[in-house]
Amino acid sequence: MSRRNRMKRLARSQVVFLTALLVFLPGHNLYATEGAPGMHEPERRAADLLARMTLTEKIGQMTQVGQFEGGIPDEAREALKAGRIGSVLNEVNVNVVNEMQRIAVEESRLGIPLMIGRDVIHGFKTVLPIPLGQAATWNPELVRKGARMSALEAASSGINWTFAPMIDVTRDPRWGRIAESLGEDPYLHSVLGAAMVKGFQGDDLAEHGSIAACAKHFAGYGASESGRDYNTTNIPENELRNVYLPPFHAAVDAGVATIMASFSDLNGIPATGNSFLMRQVLREEWGFEGFVVSDWASIEQLKVHGLVANDKEAAFEALGAGVNMEMATSTYANHLEELLEEGRISIQQIDEMVEGILRVKFRMGLFENHYTDPSSYPAVSNPEHLAIARITALQSLVLLENRNKVLPLKKDTLGSIAIIGPLADDGYEQMGTWVFDGDAGVSQTPLSAIREFLGTDVRVNHVRAMETTRSRSVDGFEEARAAAEASDAVIVFLGEEAILSGEAHSRADIDLPGSQAELVRVLHGTGKPVIAVVMAGRPLTLGNVLESVDALLFAWHPGSMAGPAIADILFGVESPSGKLPVTFPRMVGQVPIHYAHKHGGKPATAESFKHMDDIPVRMPQTSSGFVSSHLDAGFTPQYAFGYGLSYTEFSYSEIGLSGNRVALGEPVTVKAVVRNTGDVEADEIVQLYVRDLVGNVTRPVKELKGFQRLRLQPGESQTVEFVIGPDDLAFYGRDMKLINEPGDFHVWIGGSSEAELRAEFTVTSD
Ligand code: BGC
């Protein structure tokens, strides 16, 4: 029997099974349509089902286990039959998944299907740029499409739940997980995180190809002290609410099915045991109706944190705080029953947690469709998916330097080109950090794409020069120098391998590792134009190479289609349009450095640094005045949030408001004219920033409140318009309530957070 027919048969037997229930169990019907008036269907069905579950079955739904080695062992079969497992993570063999679903649905008493979880973070077989790179596209529709494509590929293996998006705002490039984040800004995070949720979940969680999303890590993980992963966070409630929580609120509003509790300690109460986060904020204030899963063993780790003395107390705290499902460990399975017998927890607490899980399973349509027929999905890595990966990579590339317009390179005037460096031809490393399933065989590398683009007309002199980015050896440098000398221009591929960022891969020194800076100096010494392409999972401190390169293209880890995307930019098939979703420091000691900082009482200004104009910033000064700065790094970043060059220039002018006075609660419209003043057709990301001059708590010097991607022909101009509503101006004040205040505001429209075109308005209380 073909796979497809077998699937159909499995599906049919399910229908027969359901029909039998409907016919033979009147009054015990889990699937009947009548119910409490006003209850939505998944809620009613979840309540019905819950009413007939045993305690063991309930705790089973709260238990997620890791994949089984080599098929499904007998104990696991027994556990599935007994309803002691609600979810499995990391099983990607579709036959094993279908068999597990069959046991759960057809051999267990109540036939509850499983949620099959996997970290599908930036693609499945086809790999998109790392999330930080996707954020550099500032393109929510593209980000949504990428998540949709990933969902379709993952769903074809039986996965119905991804642990994404990660929407941890972070201002610390040392933190390895910055690669998985969408950068430093709450607004950009909110817009793009919601787009990912919509991509994974589709319009309807039950539709074919939708998988449940999981917004993580709730909350504050991005503030891990010193950027060391899993470290403590201390975040005042005001900052938590204004900076770290908004992306999660946006994900909840976008209908995210699940949330993952963070590993991290938040102000003394680890997030996994934190009822302020999961009960007060998430459920009471935001009305979240999905469920919370712990992070890997994070309930058990409440003991390691020193919050509780043993596993039983860990289960007690996590349940009380509102964690519905335990990932990887068994404190719920081992201790909830005992806690219940002792009267320390109530059955209502357990019911509430289980009902949340069941509601999601019903919303997902799992009871109707739990088997996977791979042939009902588009093939993985099909041309359409590769095209999405390619355009996302293309739009994620940020041009940081382009002296004397060395880029784009012109094929016609080149006789030969040197391609140097450890990341020029590595199909695996270009994929980035979360690539459990990524297929390096699909990857197109820069070297292969450049060769293909140039054909036989231009000679390509390729030298790897370093074994890895971390190599200290300079043995390959002579060969690299010779290749550069024999070429008209040099493209050097630098950065970090994928393993240098991501979970548990933080760095204290964020310079280019190994002897890469020396390699760049050697190449620069040849007098040939040197174009650096840097692939990395985080912002790097680039000061020690900037003097030696003519152009620098920051590529993050661009994924499967890195090669064609980079070639298109280097040779001017398309103009770069990515903008930084995170500030690049000059020196690591400036961290945290971000654009939306507070003004402070003694702010540094360009004026206070006038006397330093001719002095290299790295030289310690004896004084920069009594202002907030570093003696050796000044106060400005290397590259600001929102920055990125193009092959054309854009001018901004004629900023205007619908009115200079606006009543509290009313919107104000702001317009400006953007003109392509250069001679290349290109995209520009127009950004809107606002400052609230006086607040009941101090407010950031600028906050992103809108952006638009425009395409303009040379000489073309367009009027852009943004509506700033009361929600955009609201913030959490002293009493931790969301407030709007009357007062004066500044608004900027421009091409980066350093935009200068400004207008002013006043919000009046009448
Ligand atoms: C990570 C999560 C991930 C989980 C499951 C944890 O170590 O923190 O982000 O979803 O593992 O793989």
Side-chain angles (χ1 to χ4, degrees):
M1 197 188 310
S2 75
R3 254 240 64 75
R4 191 169 203 145
N5 286 339
R6 199 176 139 232
M7 289 303 141
K8 277 192 185 150
R9 217 183 74 167
L10 287 172
R12 254 202 314 272
S13 65
Q14 170 68 0
V15 172
V16 172
F17 172 70
L18 294 181
T19 315
L21 267 175
L22 290 170
V23 173
F24 296 116
L25 297 176
H28 295 273
N29 184 356
L30 312 182
Y31 305 95
T33 47
E34 76 272 15
M39 280 178 98
H40 294 303
E41 183 76 346
E43 289 167 8
R44 189 191 52 70
R45 292 174 77 184
D48 276 353
L49 180 51
L50 183 71
R52 55 206 78 247
M53 289 171 76
T54 63
L55 181 61
T56 306
E57 287 162 342
K58 288 176 183 174
I59 296 171
Q61 286 305 304
M62 300 169 77
T63 303
Q64 181 186 57
V65 299
Q67 97 265 38
F68 315 112
E69 298 296 326
I72 310 171
D74 288 346
E75 331 72 274
R77 285 180 184 274
E78 288 315 310
L80 287 166
K81 276 188 205 168
R84 283 190 276 112
I85 296 175
S87 171
V88 176
L89 83 159
N90 290 340
E91 182 55 70
V92 286
N93 179 324
V94 69
N95 299 324
V96 176
V97 170
N98 278 330
E99 175 61 3
M100 291 191 309
Q101 293 287 24
R102 193 196 60 75
I103 301 170
V105 172
E106 298 192 18
E107 296 188 7
S108 77
R109 197 177 71 87
L110 295 172
I112 306 175
L114 301 164
M115 285 180 74
I116 309 292
R118 181 74 160 171
D119 292 283
V120 182
I121 312 287
H122 52 109
F124 189 63
K125 296 285 180 200
T126 308
V127 178
L128 297 159
I130 54 170
L132 192 59
Q134 290 186 49
T137 69
W138 298 57
N139 189 335
E141 177 52 15
L142 198 53
V143 166
R144 185 197 65 76
K145 274 190 186 157
R148 188 71 194 158
M149 174 275 276
S150 311
L152 284 168
E153 291 200 352
S156 71
S157 284
I159 293 157
N160 53 34
W161 183 18
T162 177
F163 304 121
M166 181 178 126
I167 45 176
D168 292 314
V169 169
T170 183
R171 277 114 188 234
D172 200 328
R174 294 170 298 183
W175 191 44
R177 301 198 82 167
I178 195 170
E180 303 172 46
S181 86
L182 300 165
E184 74 182 38
D185 186 64
Y187 180 82
L188 190 59
H189 249 103
S190 299
V191 173
L192 299 181
M196 282 185 181
V197 170
K198 288 185 184 134
F200 288 126
Q201 298 194 165
D203 293 333
D204 177 357
L205 205 39
E207 83 195 6
H208 189 65
S210 289
I211 63 176
C214 181
K216 69 187 189 186
H217 306 83
F218 199 60
Y221 189 22
S224 286
E225 272 181 10
S226 77
R228 194 148 50 83
D229 204 7
Y230 313 130
N231 209 357
T232 296
T233 75
N234 283 295
I235 311 174
E237 185 177 337
N238 185 266
E239 191 174 341
L240 189 70
R241 288 184 178 276
N242 284 317
V243 176
Y244 293 90
L245 295 182
F248 287 93
H249 199 174
V252 169
D253 287 347
V256 73
T258 69
I259 301 264
M260 186 184 292
S262 175
F263 282 131
S264 43
D265 186 344
L266 175 67
N267 303 334
I269 312 286
T272 302
N274 196 311
S275 61
F276 163 73
L277 284 177
M278 289 181 288
R279 291 212 171 270
Q280 183 181 323
V281 175
L282 185 61
R283 268 104 171 188
E284 288 164 29
E285 296 181 21
W286 300 348
F288 175 62
E289 289 185 343
F291 74 83
V292 176
V293 62
S294 77
D295 202 343
W296 187 281
S298 70
I299 299 185
E300 202 179 81
Q301 285 162 15
L302 293 177
K303 189 178 64 181
V304 188
H305 277 282
L307 185 75
V308 294
N310 53 45
D311 288 355
K312 182 171 157 189
E313 295 307 312
F316 176 78
E317 290 294 334
L319 183 81
V323 179
N324 304 64
M325 185 184 282
E326 177 168 14
M327 181 189 284
T329 43
S330 328
T331 70
Y332 278 1
N334 293 340
H335 300 290
L336 287 186
E337 189 169 351
E338 196 184 335
L339 285 165
L340 190 65
E341 276 163 11
E342 291 169 5
R344 295 188 54 207
I345 59 171
S346 68
I347 191 66
Q348 287 75 22
Q349 276 181 285
I350 292 187
D351 284 353
E352 184 200 344
M353 293 296 102
V354 177
E355 208 168 343
I357 297 167
L358 296 176
R359 265 198 312 262
V360 168
K361 289 189 174 183
F362 279 110
R363 273 181 66 203
M364 292 168 72
L366 274 186
F367 288 82
E368 291 73 32
N369 295 302
H370 35 266
Y371 295 120
T372 302
D373 173 2
S375 71
S376 68
Y377 292 91
V380 295
S381 302
N382 66 50
E384 198 185 325
H385 292 188
L386 294 177
I388 292 171
R390 179 173 179 162
I391 182 128
T392 311
L394 182 89
Q395 294 194 2
S396 76
L397 303 174
V398 186
L399 184 63
L400 296 178
E401 297 290 345
N402 194 16
R403 300 198 183 105
N404 306 318
K405 295 200 171 178
V406 64
L407 286 179
L409 293 167
K410 286 164 204 71
K411 181 177 168 180
D412 305 345
T413 57
L414 279 180
S416 57
I417 189 145
I419 308 284
I420 312 287
L423 295 175
D425 192 30
D426 198 322
Y428 178 80
E429 301 301 347
Q430 71 186 37
M431 294 197 299
T433 176
W434 266 119
V435 289
F436 279 152
D437 305 284
D439 184 351
V442 169
S443 286
Q444 295 183 28
T445 69
L447 178 67
S448 65
I450 291 171
R451 279 195 206 278
E452 191 176 327
F453 182 84
L454 295 176
T456 50
D457 306 342
V458 181
R459 199 176 63 250
V460 173
N461 299 314
H462 171 230
V463 179
R464 187 177 174 109
M466 295 172 70
E467 190 49 36
T468 71
T469 65
R470 292 154 282 162
S471 309
R472 299 240 157 244
S473 162
V474 296
D475 289 353
F477 289 13
E478 261 322 299
E479 200 192 340
R481 184 205 308 270
E485 261 159 11
S487 306
D488 296 329
V490 181
I491 309 176
V492 57
F493 287 85
L494 307 165
E496 298 177 320
E497 279 81 24
I499 194 71
L500 295 186
S501 59
E503 186 175 347
H505 289 82
S506 296
R507 296 179 61 202
D509 171 357
I510 55 169
D511 280 356
L512 285 162
S515 47
Q516 293 184 82
E518 205 172 326
L519 173 63
V520 173
R521 277 192 292 277
V522 167
L523 297 172
H524 179 62
T526 64
K528 299 296 168 81
V530 176
I531 293 129
V533 179
V534 180
M535 293 189 197
R538 57 163 61 76
L540 298 173
T541 40
L542 296 163
N544 59 357
V545 294
L546 287 178
E547 301 283 292
S548 311
V549 298
D550 297 281
L552 195 147
L553 184 68
F554 207 84
W556 320 100
H557 287 126
S560 308
M561 297 301 277
I566 289 171
D568 281 352
I569 296 293
L570 294 177
F571 293 97
V573 176
E574 181 60 46
S575 174
S577 61
K579 301 267 185 168
L580 295 179
V582 59
T583 304
F584 275 44
R586 295 175 190 279
M587 296 168 75
V588 71
Q590 291 180 293
V591 170
I593 179 167
H594 55 101
Y595 85 94
H597 58 83
K598 295 293 184 69
H599 198 252
K602 288 177 179 289
T605 60
E607 200 53 38
S608 41
F609 275 77
K610 266 228 150 83
H611 67 289
M612 283 175 67
D613 272 358
D614 299 326
I615 307 170
V617 174
R618 277 160 181 267
M619 186 93 78
Q621 304 299 303
T622 52
S623 170
S624 48
F626 287 90
V627 295
S628 178
S629 76
H630 288 109
L631 291 175
D632 46 6
F635 68 102
T636 57
Q638 188 76 59
Y639 300 110
F641 176 84
Y643 169 83
L645 298 171
S646 165
Y647 290 155
T648 193
E649 284 87 43
F650 296 97
S651 73
Y652 286 83
S653 61
E654 296 168 55
I655 192 163
L657 293 157
S658 52
N660 293 92
R661 295 178 73 75
V662 51
L664 195 67
E666 293 299 318
V668 57
T669 303
V670 53
K671 291 182 183 175
V673 175
V674 189
R675 183 182 301 276
N676 180 343
T677 56
D679 49 16
V680 175
E681 175 186 354
D683 279 12
E684 165 71 330
I685 296 161
V686 181
Q687 301 160 42
L688 171 86
Y689 294 89
V690 171
R691 177 168 178 205
D692 179 354
L693 294 193
V694 177
N696 134 326
V697 293
T698 56
R699 309 289 299 123
V701 294
K702 263 181 191 174
E703 288 179 289
L704 180 73
K705 291 297 174 188
F707 58 89
Q708 296 175 26
R709 189 179 257 274
L710 301 182
R711 187 161 192 87
L712 295 178
Q713 302 292 325
E716 187 186 351
S717 63
Q718 194 173 317
T719 301
V720 287
E721 183 177 310
F722 294 94
V723 177
I724 305 171
D727 288 352
D728 297 312
L729 303 181
F731 63 98
Y732 286 88
R734 282 180 212 192
D735 59 1
M736 306 307 152
K737 296 271 176 313
L738 192 62
I739 52 170
N740 276 94
E741 289 183 329
D744 293 334
F745 292 81
H746 286 173
V747 51
W748 294 261
I749 292 182
S752 84
S753 61
E754 292 179 329
E756 287 176 353
L757 185 68
R758 189 178 93 188
E760 298 170 11
F761 64 93
T762 302
V763 174
T764 60
S765 50
D766 36 81

